[in-house]
Amino acid sequence: MTSVNPKNNATNLTVLGIETSCDETAAAIVRGPLQKAILSNTIKSQIDEHTEFGGVVPEIAARAHIDILDRIVAEAMHEASCTWDDIDAVAATAGPGLIGGVIVGLMTAKAIAMAAGKPLIGVNHLEGHALTARLTDDLEFPFILLLVSGGHSQFLLVRGVGDYKRLGTTIDDAIGEAFDKTAKLLGLPYPGGPHVEMIAAKGDVTRFRLPRPLLDRPGLDMSFAGLKTALRTQAKKLEPVDDQTVADLCAAFQRSVSDVLAARTKSALALFSERYPDTEPVIVVAGGVAANQEIRSALTQAASEANARFVAPPLALCTDNAAMIAWAGIERMQLGPVNDMALAPRPRWPLDSANAGVLGAGKKGAKV
Ligand code: KG4
Ligand code: ZN
């Protein structure tokens, strides 16, 4: 499965990263680990192609990746002023994600690696998110990652490259997915998160009291499907729902999610301090939902109460991008062997293999 890594000592490597696991086609060139430089970070969102369907359509996503990936890679190379001689390796998301898109990205990476004679690194998309803060904020291991996007909602203890322990996860919908479904239910456009946040600002948060699912139970698992159902029940009772009611429901939903995340964050940090009493606790947040200001302030507050450092990489690096894939490729290469052409794309690929097999099947296939 593996071949010998040509450069596995800690000298700078320049890596091309490719990301196609959901609805963003992205390529980036990153140099590291010593320099930590993003030479280019090119991205094309497919939101326009999916909006009319109210969510990501896997077939449309895969075709859209095929249409533009070669141009996106060429753009990333041009912006970074790189030739193939400057590139040390090609890294691509090999999973988890919508399989059609993952195949497009990985096959393109293999073709480039073969044609240009470069090593290939298959990156776990979640590892890309998990290691980004080491590119942007110079973070040492260990730390806690809260990943909150349209496809993932989980707390991970990041102990080292390739060394992850999942501390808790959603047992049903991912948080972004819950925002999107709530928006759809209330007649707001896709993607729902930003619209729910905007409308919630005009709402009265005290009018409705929605549940804080699972908070009465120990552990760090979360659940968001019931919250959406409770909101639907309230809305049904008041049909036809006026604008103020929509705003009040959005505010109540956002507050419930923020409360759940803040409470679980405090528990995660307490767990961290138990395990590492002599290490400053750090919580890193990533994923599209991290754009939400109320959630951000709830997490900032929770971290401050736990005397922990709160790290949120810039939003463009919190959401799906290829710089994180290139960076994870660089970190992987420090460990030694890289992949060969037999590497297979994977729709499901939990970072913590001891904890695989969670219920549910979301936008990205698995609630990993
Ligand atoms: O990380 P991301 O860009 O893509 C993946 O899902 O991987 O996350 C997209 C998700 C969507 O579900 C979107 O509704 C949600 O993040 N989102 C938000 C906000 N902005 C994006 N959710 C809540 N508040 C926001 N401001
Ligand atoms: Zn992602």
Side-chain angles (χ1 to χ4, degrees), residues 77 79 88 116 177 234 297 319 333 346:
M77 292 288 288
E79 234 178 77
D88 292 304
E177 195 181 357
Q234 298 273 13
S297 31
T319 55
M333 285 189 81
R346 298 177 64 172

Side-chain angles (χ1 to χ4, degrees), residues 19 21-22 24 96 125-126 129 147 149-152 287-288 318-321 324 364:
E19 157 61 35
S21 70
C22 194
E24 259 102 27
H125 178 89
L126 301 173
H129 281 301
L147 185 53
S149 70
H152 326 287
C318 271
T319 55
D320 289 353
N321 66 88
M324 72 178 188
K364 292 211 172 194

Side-chain angles (χ1 to χ4, degrees), residues 13-362:
L13 299 168
T14 304
V15 170
L16 163 66
I18 293 177
E19 157 61 35
T20 53
S21 70
C22 194
D23 57 347
E24 259 102 27
T25 314
I29 317 285
V30 175
R31 186 170 295 152
L34 306 174
Q35 201 176 334
K36 297 179 193 276
I38 300 176
L39 305 185
S40 65
N41 193 15
T42 312
I43 186 154
K44 165 82 172 62
S45 166
Q46 303 174 354
I47 281 188
D48 293 347
E49 277 108 310
H50 300 290
T51 302
E52 67 173 294
F53 303 101
V56 179
V57 183
E59 268 303 303
I60 293 177
R63 278 163 203 271
H65 289 307
I66 291 177
D67 282 347
I68 59 161
L69 182 55
D70 54 351
R71 259 180 294 147
I72 296 288
V73 170
E75 229 177 88
M77 292 288 288
H78 178 74
E79 234 178 77
S81 303
C82 278
T83 67
W84 293 114
D85 284 345
D86 303 316
I87 300 293
D88 292 304
V90 184
T93 299
L98 298 173
I99 192 64
V102 177
I103 291 173
V104 173
L106 187 57
M107 292 307 143
T108 304
K110 283 184 181 180
I112 294 173
M114 200 174 252
K118 309 290 176 185
L120 172 78
I121 312 150
V123 170
N124 182 313
H125 178 89
L126 301 173
E127 181 160 65
H129 281 301
L131 298 177
T132 300
R134 286 171 48 79
L135 166 65
T136 58
D137 291 74
D138 240 351
L139 212 60
E140 296 294 329
F141 298 117
F143 57 87
I144 289 187
L145 173 76
L146 169 59
L147 185 53
V148 280
S149 70
H152 326 287
S153 301
Q154 54 185 299
F155 284 97
L156 282 167
L157 175 59
V158 183
R159 291 179 292 215
V161 178
D163 186 3
Y164 308 95
K165 180 161 177 56
R166 197 180 63 207
L167 302 174
T169 181
T170 178
I171 58 165
D172 40 54
D173 290 349
I175 305 179
E177 195 181 357
F179 266 97
D180 295 339
K181 286 180 178 172
T182 295
K184 202 169 181 179
L185 204 114
L186 295 172
L188 305 173
Y190 176 84
H195 293 279
V196 170
E197 177 171 23
M198 206 166 58
I199 307 244
K202 299 178 208 141
D204 171 7
V205 77
T206 60
R207 182 168 162 207
F208 298 103
R209 168 90 190 163
L210 295 174
R212 272 74 178 148
L214 290 193
L215 275 200
D216 53 341
R217 293 200 213 155
L220 293 180
D221 282 344
M222 298 167 283
S223 162
F224 300 101
L227 188 52
K228 177 198 65 204
T229 310
L231 183 138
R232 181 193 284 121
T233 310
Q234 298 273 13
K236 281 256 176 232
K237 275 193 227 156
L238 296 167
E239 262 175 345
V241 181
D242 60 31
D243 287 353
Q244 189 55 49
T245 301
V246 169
D248 297 345
L249 284 167
C250 285
F253 173 83
Q254 192 170 268
R255 179 58 55 86
S256 281
V257 173
S258 304
D259 284 354
V260 169
L261 286 176
R264 288 309 201 211
T265 295
K266 274 195 234 166
S267 307
L269 287 167
L271 207 79
F272 183 98
S273 294
E274 251 170 55
R275 281 188 204 187
Y276 305 99
D278 302 324
T279 307
E280 181 195 27
V282 180
I283 174 100
V284 177
V285 68
V289 181
N292 187 290
Q293 285 307 323
E294 183 170 339
I295 291 176
R296 260 177 193 253
S297 31
L299 295 177
T300 309
Q301 174 76 20
S304 128
E305 282 169 26
N307 291 321
R309 184 174 156 204
F310 174 70
V311 176
L315 199 63
L317 297 174
C318 271
T319 55
D320 289 353
N321 66 88
M324 72 178 188
I325 303 303
W327 173 256
I330 290 169
E331 294 247 48
R332 278 263 148 206
M333 285 189 81
Q334 310 309 308
L335 295 184
V338 293
N339 301 105
D340 70 13
M341 293 295 148
L343 177 69
R346 298 177 64 172
R348 293 177 182 233
W349 187 3
L351 269 185
D352 174 359
S353 50
N355 261 320
V358 175
L359 298 173

